[in-house]
């Protein structure tokens, strides 16, 4: 009996210990599951910048949020990760870097039509006075040699005429005096016929005509009615547009394949059914140290007046030196982003995961829709060829190297970007700036509804101009960020989009030739999760759009644009 009692006590002790240990493990497992579930972040497949601790709808597009991938594991400091859904919805495509036939060595250059400076003339004044009447009032007017372009009142000429009339009465007794007075009028470009008229009538003229000294098209009017002029002061600038310049930018790597006299086949965007040809007449001996390009010039016949200064053109030409190797690395033009002196691509660094890294590359000649790659890529690497700016936006939000954020440079890299913007675009962009400032003020006041309305107004004011690749990329980013803000009523998400919007607005604003008033680039080091963020302001006084009243004056002025 005692023996059975001992067995029963041992069994009960075993059950008790088992309960204690296994229940503890169960509780630990349940606690770990709860902790893991609570630490899961949820994101939008279309807008990966959205991160929330709970599932729900995207505040931008309304789509269901999905669990975010833990992109920090296994990535180096410069890599970014995107979800497969984000890749599909943003239509991001990649291509394998391959070898291409480079033997034909065909290069493509982009540029625009400009006035032939060799055919430009200035019409100067030849005496002091005041413009009483200006007969040429519009740029683009045609003038002919000898045509009267202005009427001038000159006290100096009034006095000289009185002197001439007096000297004429004494010309028989003092012929040398009379000749000396008449000679003075020749220095003012006054004809003998007009002098004879003054002597015969004895009447003093109060208004003197200014005649055109060349035939051409007026490109600039330097004065207006009522203006005071002085001897040799320019009145008009006139160009003979029977010939124009096609001016192209050639990159540093292309210079060795160019020489004077090379034949170029030129197409004009505005005249798609016509082709022009010409020979290189000038290659700038000085390299632009910002854009890393040289100016290449071709003189084109324009006797039919079809080519207008400002038109965009493209040229194809055979390189001077044939490529010695049969094969060369090539990538599509759509893969490249330009930021002044840098040419960038995004490389897919892991074959089985959507992980990307920005890479600077050195490019060679352009052949059709591809670029030759001299440095930066190897055969078999995979690069983004569609949706490049979307990947770049994700990199900006994560504080990684990007088009706007070069870790090897000082802040405000955008301020250093050199872009050539058409005059029409510049004027329209100034109007967009006004709506941008309204948007900024709405964020300062923490008013998401006003911010959305300002973004909608800015979208309507966006220019619809033909731009070069780098400028077009910035404009596309501006449009995307404005659309995201306009469809969003969540303040913090609006502010996150405003970071990228501002970077691209700064890049464009710094290339406006003349702003209506000073604009200040301001920087807050605490914004964007302590990565720092910039914005534009009409006032040097800091009013922070990323924090509003919480840290209204946090920031500093880092640049002034005029």
């Amino acid at each position: 009996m005692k023996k059975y009692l001992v067995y029963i006590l041992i069994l009960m002790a075993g059950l008790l210990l088992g309960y204690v240990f296994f229940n503890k493990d169960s509780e630990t497992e349940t606690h770990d599951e709860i902790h893991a579930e609570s630490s899961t972040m949820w994101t939008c497949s279309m807008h990966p910048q959205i991160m929330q601790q709970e599932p729900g709808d995207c505040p931008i597009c309304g789509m269901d949020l999905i669990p975010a991938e833990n992109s920090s594991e296994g990535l180096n400091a410069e890599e970014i990760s995107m979800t497969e859904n984000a890749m599909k919805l943003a239509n991001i495509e990649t291509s394998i870097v391959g070898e291409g036939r480079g033997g034909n060595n065909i290069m493509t250059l982009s540029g625009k039509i400009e006035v032939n400076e060799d055919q430009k003339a200035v019409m100067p004044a030849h005496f002091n006075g005041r413009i009483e009447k200006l007969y040429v009032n519009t740029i683009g007017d045609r003038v002919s040699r000898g045509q009267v372009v202005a009427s001038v009142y000159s006290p100096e000429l009034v006095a000289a005429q009185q002197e001439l009339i007096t000297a004429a009465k004494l010309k028989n007794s003092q012929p040398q005096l009379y000749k000396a007075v008449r000679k003075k009028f020749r220095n003012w470009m006054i004809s003998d016929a007009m002098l004879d008229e003054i002597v015969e009538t004895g009447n003093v003229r109060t208004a003197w005509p200014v005649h055109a000294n060349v035939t051409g098209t007026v490109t600039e009017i330097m004065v207006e009615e009522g203006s005071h002029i002085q001897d040799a002061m320019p009145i008009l600038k006139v160009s003979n547009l029977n010939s124009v310049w096609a001016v192209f930018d050639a990159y540093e790597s292309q210079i060795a394949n160019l020489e004077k006299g090379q034949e170029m086949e030129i197409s004009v965007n505005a005249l798609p059914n016509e082709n022009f040809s010409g020979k290189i007449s000038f290659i700038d001996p000085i390299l632009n140290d910002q854009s890393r390009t040289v100016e290449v010039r071709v003189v084109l016949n324009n006797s039919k007046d079809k080519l207008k200064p400002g038109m965009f053109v493209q040229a194809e030409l055979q390189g001077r030196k044939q490529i010695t190797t049969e094969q060369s690395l090539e990538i599509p033009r759509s893969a490249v982003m330009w930021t002044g002196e840098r040419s960038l691509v995004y490389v897919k660094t892991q074959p089985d995961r959507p992980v990307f890294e920005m890479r600077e590359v050195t490019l060679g000649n352009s052949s059709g829709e591809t670029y030759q790659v001299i440095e930066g890529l190897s055969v078999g690497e995979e690069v983004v060829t569609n949706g490049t700016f979307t990947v770049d936006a994700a990199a900006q939000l994560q504080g990684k190297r990007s088009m706007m954020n070069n870790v090897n440079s000082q802040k405000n890299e955008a301020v250093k970007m050199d872009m050539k913007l058409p005059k029409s675009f510049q004027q329209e962009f100034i109007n967009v700036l006004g709506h941008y400032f309204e948007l900024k003020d709405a964020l300062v006041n923490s008013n998401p509804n006003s911010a959305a309305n300002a973004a909608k107004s800015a979208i309507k004011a966006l220019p619809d101009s033909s731009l070069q690749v780098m400028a077009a990329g910035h404009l596309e980013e501006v449009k995307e960020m404005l659309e995201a803000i306009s469809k969003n009523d969540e303040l913090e998400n609006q502010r996150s989009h405003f970071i990228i919007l501002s970077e691209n607005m700064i890049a464009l604003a710094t290339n406006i030739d003349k702003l209506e008033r000073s604009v200040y680039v301001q920087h807050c080091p605490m914004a964007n999760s302590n990565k720092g963020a910039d914005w534009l302001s009409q006032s040097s006084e800091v009013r922070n759009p990323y924090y509003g009243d919480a840290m209204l004056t946090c920031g500093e002025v880092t640049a002034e644009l005029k």
Side-chain angles (χ1 to χ4, degrees):
M1 184 69 180
K2 290 181 179 180
K3 183 177 179 181
Y4 288 111
L5 182 60
V6 171
Y7 287 151
I8 292 171
L9 290 174
I10 292 173
L11 179 61
M12 291 178 65
L15 291 172
L16 179 62
L17 289 173
Y19 173 79
V20 170
F21 283 108
F22 285 103
N23 187 59
K24 182 177 179 180
D25 290 343
S26 177
E27 290 178 354
T28 302
E29 183 178 351
T30 303
H31 175 75
D32 290 343
E33 288 176 357
I34 293 172
H35 177 73
E37 183 178 350
S38 64
S39 62
T40 299
M41 297 296 292
W42 297 78
T43 186
C44 175
S45 58
M46 187 65 183
H47 301 95
Q49 68 271 25
I50 301 300
M51 286 290 178
Q52 295 184 4
Q53 293 182 341
E54 298 178 354
D57 296 333
C58 173
I60 298 176
C61 63
M63 293 179 60
D64 291 337
L65 297 182
I66 60 176
E69 292 184 355
N70 187 4
S71 60
S72 61
E73 294 183 2
L75 302 185
N76 66 39
E78 302 304 334
E79 290 180 326
I80 65 166
S81 177
M82 299 180 68
T83 65
E84 292 290 350
N85 274 345
M87 294 271 292
K88 292 177 182 177
L89 292 171
N91 198 25
I92 295 173
E93 299 176 357
T94 61
S95 297
I96 303 296
V97 177
E99 293 181 328
R101 297 279 177 181
N104 57 10
N105 203 17
I106 299 295
M107 294 190 298
T108 302
L109 303 178
S110 297
K112 64 180 180 179
I113 298 296
E114 294 184 5
V115 170
N116 186 340
E117 296 289 340
D118 295 334
Q119 300 294 322
K120 182 181 287 188
V122 176
M123 293 186 185
H126 298 292
F127 43 80
N128 302 333
R130 181 180 69 246
I131 300 288
E132 293 291 295
K133 184 67 176 176
L134 196 60
Y135 298 105
V136 177
N137 300 299
T138 306
I139 293 176
D141 284 352
R142 297 277 299 180
V143 295
S144 302
R145 183 182 181 89
Q147 177 182 335
V148 177
V149 296
S151 177
V152 177
Y153 168 73
S154 172
E156 184 179 27
L157 286 181
V158 169
Q161 289 176 82
Q162 293 171 340
E163 183 181 359
L164 176 65
I165 293 171
T166 302
K169 296 177 181 178
L170 302 173
K171 67 178 179 180
N172 292 329
S173 59
Q174 300 184 42
Q176 294 301 323
L177 174 63
Y178 179 66
K179 289 181 180 179
V181 173
R182 285 186 70 103
K183 185 177 181 180
K184 182 165 58 174
F185 279 89
R186 294 194 186 99
N187 296 333
W188 290 324
M189 306 297 290
I190 307 246
S191 67
D192 287 338
M194 296 184 72
L195 295 180
D196 291 339
E197 181 185 343
I198 294 169
V199 170
E200 290 176 5
T201 62
N203 295 327
V204 174
R205 297 184 61 132
T206 57
W208 286 88
V210 176
H211 298 88
N213 55 359
V214 293
T215 297
T217 301
V218 176
T219 56
E220 189 172 354
I221 300 173
M222 318 291 289
V223 296
E224 57 187 22
E225 290 184 2
S227 298
H228 288 269
I229 59 173
Q230 295 181 329
D231 187 11
M233 175 179 171
I235 296 176
L236 303 173
K237 288 186 178 179
V238 177
S239 294
N240 186 344
L241 297 181
N242 286 334
S243 67
V244 293
W245 285 348
V247 179
F248 302 92
D249 289 327
Y251 287 98
E252 192 172 4
S253 58
Q254 298 174 317
I255 298 175
N257 276 315
L258 300 171
E259 66 179 355
K260 290 183 180 179
Q262 268 181 291
E263 192 76 26
M264 302 179 76
E265 296 298 324
I266 299 170
S267 59
V268 183
N269 292 1
L271 303 171
N273 298 322
E274 296 192 42
N275 293 314
F276 302 83
S277 62
K279 295 182 179 180
I280 296 177
S281 61
F282 173 79
I283 301 175
D284 196 332
I286 300 175
L287 181 76
N288 185 316
D289 59 0
Q290 291 185 329
S291 63
R292 311 303 299 173
T293 61
V294 296
E295 181 179 295
V296 178
R297 186 188 305 158
V298 177
V299 179
L300 297 178
N301 183 291
N302 191 36
S303 57
K304 296 183 179 179
D305 201 29
K306 291 184 177 181
L307 301 174
K308 313 293 183 184
M311 284 182 172
F312 288 105
V313 292
Q314 283 191 327
E316 286 191 355
L317 70 160
Q318 180 76 37
R320 184 170 61 92
K321 297 180 180 179
Q322 290 294 324
I323 295 176
T324 55
T325 59
E326 291 187 3
Q327 304 287 336
S328 64
L329 296 186
E330 291 185 355
I331 58 174
R333 295 172 67 95
S334 60
V336 183
M337 298 186 300
W338 297 97
T339 63
E341 62 185 42
R342 296 190 297 156
S343 47
L344 313 173
V345 298
Y346 272 95
V347 179
K348 191 170 183 286
T349 56
Q350 298 186 19
D352 55 346
R353 295 178 61 193
V355 176
F356 304 95
E357 181 181 71
M358 192 190 79
R359 186 88 57 83
E360 294 191 28
V361 294
T362 302
L363 301 179
N365 298 334
S366 170
S367 177
E369 293 301 314
T370 62
Y371 280 115
Q372 294 175 357
V373 181
I374 298 174
E375 281 184 348
L377 290 173
S378 303
V379 174
E381 288 192 293
E382 195 170 354
V383 297
V384 177
T385 54
N386 190 65
T388 313
F389 285 100
T390 301
V391 178
D392 190 73
Q396 291 179 47
L397 286 169
Q398 297 178 32
K400 301 297 180 70
R401 284 186 75 207
S402 66
M403 182 178 180
M404 304 298 300
N405 177 29
N406 181 14
V407 295
N408 297 321
S409 65
Q410 300 296 321
K411 65 184 177 181
N412 287 336
E413 174 72 16
V415 175
K416 302 176 184 178
M417 294 183 183
D418 185 23
M419 292 177 279
K420 294 181 179 180
L421 303 177
K423 295 292 184 183
S424 58
F425 173 87
Q426 294 188 34
Q427 187 57 49
E428 291 179 88
F429 184 78
I430 290 174
N431 296 332
V432 179
L433 272 176
H435 298 296
Y436 168 88
F437 293 132
E438 293 175 4
L439 171 57
K440 186 266 296 182
D441 291 339
L443 296 178
V444 169
N445 296 324
S446 300
N447 190 331
N449 291 331
S450 295
N453 290 333
K456 292 176 183 177
S457 298
I459 293 171
K460 293 178 181 178
L462 285 176
D464 184 19
S465 303
S466 179
L467 299 175
Q468 293 180 341
V469 175
M470 181 169 63
H474 287 300
L475 185 62
E476 183 62 26
E477 286 275 14
V478 167
K479 184 179 179 181
E480 287 185 13
M481 294 303 105
L482 286 172
E483 288 177 344
I485 294 172
S486 69
K487 298 174 182 177
N488 191 351
D489 58 2
E490 208 284 314
L491 184 62
E492 293 310 313
N493 281 313
Q494 288 180 333
R495 284 171 168 163
S496 69
H497 286 97
F498 189 72
I499 294 171
I500 302 175
L501 170 65
S502 294
E503 292 289 357
N504 288 277
M505 290 289 290
I506 291 170
L508 293 168
T510 52
N511 287 276
I512 300 298
D513 294 336
K514 186 177 181 182
L515 294 166
E516 294 176 348
R517 54 181 294 184
S518 291
V519 172
Y520 301 90
V521 181
Q522 298 179 341
H523 178 81
C524 173
M526 297 180 66
N528 195 19
S529 302
N530 292 319
K531 301 183 186 80
D534 302 311
W535 70 94
L536 292 170
S537 175
Q538 289 179 299
S539 170
S540 59
E541 185 178 8
V542 174
R543 289 291 182 268
N544 194 312
Y546 300 115
Y547 291 106
D549 290 337
M551 287 190 292
L552 187 61
T553 59
C554 176
E556 61 177 338
V557 174
T558 58
E560 181 180 359
L561 313 179
K562 298 181 178 180

